[in-house]
Amino acid sequence: MKKTILLIAMLIPFFVISQTITSVSPNSALQGQTISLTISGNNMNFTGVSPCTGNLAGFRFSTTGGTPFSGQSTSTSGNNLYGDLIVPQFQPPGAYNLEVEHCAANGFQWISLPNSFYVYAPSWDCTNSVCADPGNGTGQYNSLSTCQAACGVTPSWDCNPTTN
């Protein structure tokens, strides 16, 4: 019995419990869009250690050679980190890596989930003489004005002055 316990104690340092990000939801947004995210992890510590921003893990999105952009963590529950993200208006479209701070007792490290988030440029489709953005970058027209011209839509505005 003592030999078994000793053997297990000797082997424990060789087994590493991995910290991983398992998902991000939603996993895409349009340029200029504001969304709320849920980031799920496995064996991650999202709170409670001083190196972490405001005692919550920080998160960011990056791509090779591109400009990263960050979100704001708002809360955590169990294996989930919640936050808000404003995608910059001119953030290049494409796949991004999600990086989350793992708040460990000896400091923090960035844990990455490659190609897990997508930024799309707004686009429009013409359906029944109405231009609408499908929200996933797959629209037929790359600008609202191009869609309106092709769709036969005449732009109009109603301006009502605000009175106090």
Side-chain angles (χ1 to χ4, degrees):
M1 177 74 169
K2 288 182 184 179
K3 289 181 182 181
T4 303
I5 293 173
L6 181 60
L7 178 62
I8 292 172
M10 290 173 53
L11 292 175
I12 286 176
F14 295 103
F15 293 98
V16 176
I17 299 173
S18 66
Q19 293 83 29
T20 58
I21 303 167
T22 56
S23 67
V24 57
S25 179
N27 67 350
S28 65
L30 293 171
Q31 294 168 324
Q33 188 176 20
T34 300
I35 60 173
S36 294
L37 293 173
T38 300
I39 300 167
S40 298
N42 180 20
N43 298 317
M44 298 280 294
N45 182 7
F46 292 127
T47 62
V49 180
S50 60
C52 295
T53 309
N55 282 337
L56 285 177
F59 65 93
R60 64 186 181 194
F61 295 92
S62 66
T63 186
T64 304
T67 303
F69 59 102
S70 299
Q72 177 66 46
S73 300
T74 57
S75 65
T76 185
S77 174
N79 289 320
N80 294 323
L81 175 66
Y82 303 97
D84 295 323
L85 177 69
I86 300 172
V87 178
Q89 183 68 39
F90 299 104
Q91 190 69 34
Y96 286 80
N97 304 321
L98 169 61
E99 297 175 334
V100 179
E101 287 179 310
H102 171 57
C103 305
N106 57 348
F108 76 88
Q109 61 184 359
W110 289 103
I111 306 291
S112 181
L113 184 58
N115 300 320
S116 57
F117 192 82
Y118 299 87
V119 173
Y120 296 109
S123 61
W124 288 264
D125 283 324
C126 177
T127 306
N128 298 325
S129 298
V130 174
C131 291
D133 184 350
N136 59 8
T138 63
Q140 183 178 2
Y141 303 100
N142 64 357
S143 73
L144 178 58
S145 60
T146 304
C147 179
Q148 289 172 332
C151 202
V153 175
T154 303
S156 64
W157 295 266
D158 289 329
C159 293
N160 296 325
T162 303
T163 57
N164 293 333

